[in-house]
Amino acid sequence: MNATLRRLAAAAACTLALTATACGSSTDKSGSGGDDKLTVVTAFYPLQFASERVAGDKAAITSLTNPGADAHSVELTPKQVASLSEADLVVYIKGFSNSIDKAIAENGPQNVIDAMTLVEPIASGHEHEAGHEGESAEEHADHDHGAYDPHIWLDPKNMSRIAEGIEKKLAEVDSDDAETYRANAEALAKELTSLDEDFRTGLATCERKDIIVSHEAFGYLTKAYGLEQVGIAGLSTEDEPSPARIAEIQKLAKQHGVTTIFYETQASPAHSKAIARDLKLNTEVLDPVATLNDQSRGKDYLEVMRANLKALRTANGCQ
């Protein structure tokens, strides 16, 4: 049943029941407000960005992760958990946040997109030992990402696939506005294609290919553009590198002539800056764009990704 039919059915139910006060919000598409919009709940910023661009003004988009917060370890409020079962669409990446995965599984929203199913995933790697000092195996499992790297949005081509998946699902939920969703998705795809071309051209000829990053968030980006990431920590910002890992990073930096140690604005830069200081190297931001904050180098995904490209070109001596 599309959104218009659901709206008419709800109105008819109110008339038959003669309980206008009980059905006062049933004139909108989602049943959660009076502005005739769908409600879309997203796990964190990149999915929020894609949903906003595809839905346009036809949906109210919210994120379960507040700006500047770490989506890996977000703790949901009861209101946020309740919003999942009420939403017209929920968009997330299974394996990125244990608390979000659990809330979705327990609340059973009707329309769900696991964006990981829209792309070709890459193996998580786990090349080195990383974890929380003193934690048990069970505690470590709470932030383990499993077999695949969940940072899929850092390849612009994947973002296009995510947008296409959102467009198709929105068209199913609200067939009346299907053409709007299609046009919006196509417009975003053109911008993402341009971004992909800029990365491909900008990183084609570089003096070095290795990048040392604070955590292994950049596997999709490096695979797409012929780089090699070396993570101080693992896939989660909560991972803590061992002294042996830090020593290994220092050795690799010297071997590969690395000029820059990258850090993130939404996670502690302590390890990155300490390694750079010991080796007398530069530090620079490489943003995984999982969230935006007041230190983000851009107002949206596209701008922050272009800031990343500039940082990579400078660090790696690209022509």
Side-chain angles (χ1 to χ4, degrees):
M1 183 182 295
N2 67 33
T4 299
L5 290 177
R6 291 204 314 275
R7 186 165 66 252
L8 291 173
C14 288
T15 300
L16 290 173
L18 296 178
T19 54
T21 55
C23 302
S25 65
S26 64
T27 56
D28 71 307
K29 290 182 180 180
S30 66
S32 61
D35 56 4
D36 202 35
K37 291 184 177 182
L38 298 176
T39 57
V40 179
V41 177
T42 62
F44 51 98
Y45 174 68
L47 305 178
Q48 178 185 4
F49 169 79
S51 298
E52 288 174 343
R53 291 295 303 270
V54 173
D57 61 2
K58 302 299 182 182
I61 315 296
T62 60
S63 173
L64 296 173
T65 306
N66 292 327
D70 185 352
H72 288 286
S73 56
V74 64
E75 294 185 9
L76 303 182
T77 66
K79 183 178 180 180
Q80 287 177 312
V81 173
S83 73
L84 293 170
S85 59
E86 298 168 357
D88 293 296
L89 177 62
V90 174
V91 187
Y92 80 123
I93 295 175
K94 188 175 183 180
F96 193 85
S97 167
N98 182 65
S99 61
I100 292 176
D101 289 356
K102 182 179 179 181
I104 290 174
E106 292 178 351
N107 285 270
Q110 182 177 0
N111 297 299
V112 182
I113 296 174
D114 172 8
M116 184 70 84
T117 66
L118 303 175
V119 307
E120 182 178 346
I122 62 176
S124 61
H126 301 295
E127 294 94 344
H128 60 83
E129 178 183 357
H132 294 280
E133 187 175 353
E135 74 178 358
S136 66
E138 290 78 8
E139 290 169 331
H140 183 69
D142 284 342
H143 61 267
D144 179 50
H145 293 292
Y148 298 109
D149 180 348
H151 301 83
I152 57 178
W153 65 89
L154 284 163
D155 180 346
K157 296 187 298 299
N158 282 346
M159 277 293 277
S160 289
R161 297 180 183 108
I162 292 169
E164 182 181 0
I166 293 169
E167 176 258 315
K168 289 180 178 178
K169 182 60 72 172
L170 285 175
E172 291 177 11
V173 175
D174 176 23
S175 59
D176 291 346
D177 293 313
E179 181 58 28
T180 296
Y181 303 136
R182 184 191 64 78
N184 289 346
E186 288 181 355
L188 177 57
K190 289 180 181 179
E191 293 183 78
L192 291 167
T193 295
S194 177
L195 178 65
D196 172 59
E197 291 171 351
D198 288 347
F199 265 87
R200 199 167 300 282
T201 300
L203 299 175
T205 306
C206 302
E207 293 177 7
R208 61 195 67 86
K209 295 294 186 180
D210 296 273
I211 60 172
I212 295 179
V213 297
S214 56
H215 89 286
E216 295 174 346
F218 300 93
Y220 291 90
L221 186 153
T222 53
K223 181 179 180 181
Y225 305 113
L227 303 178
E228 295 288 339
Q229 77 165 341
V230 178
I232 298 172
L235 284 171
S236 173
T237 53
E238 295 182 293
D239 289 344
E240 190 72 17
S242 65
R245 179 57 180 173
I246 291 175
E248 183 182 5
I249 292 292
Q250 292 175 329
K251 180 179 178 181
L252 289 171
K254 293 175 182 178
Q255 288 178 342
H256 296 285
V258 170
T259 66
T260 303
I261 306 297
F262 288 107
Y263 68 97
E264 304 169 19
T265 61
Q266 62 268 38
S268 172
H271 293 299
S272 294
K273 291 190 173 184
I275 292 171
R277 184 173 58 250
D278 290 344
L279 299 180
K280 295 181 172 57
L281 300 177
N282 299 320
T283 58
E284 184 54 276
V285 171
L286 194 64
D287 198 325
V289 211
T291 185
L292 293 184
N293 58 31
D294 56 6
Q295 299 179 63
S296 297
R297 297 182 176 181
K299 68 179 186 297
D300 64 17
Y301 169 86
L302 297 167
E303 289 189 1
V304 177
M305 284 293 285
R306 284 199 160 85
N308 282 344
L309 174 58
K310 181 179 179 180
L312 286 168
R313 283 176 50 78
T314 299
N316 284 25
C318 303
Q319 304 299 316

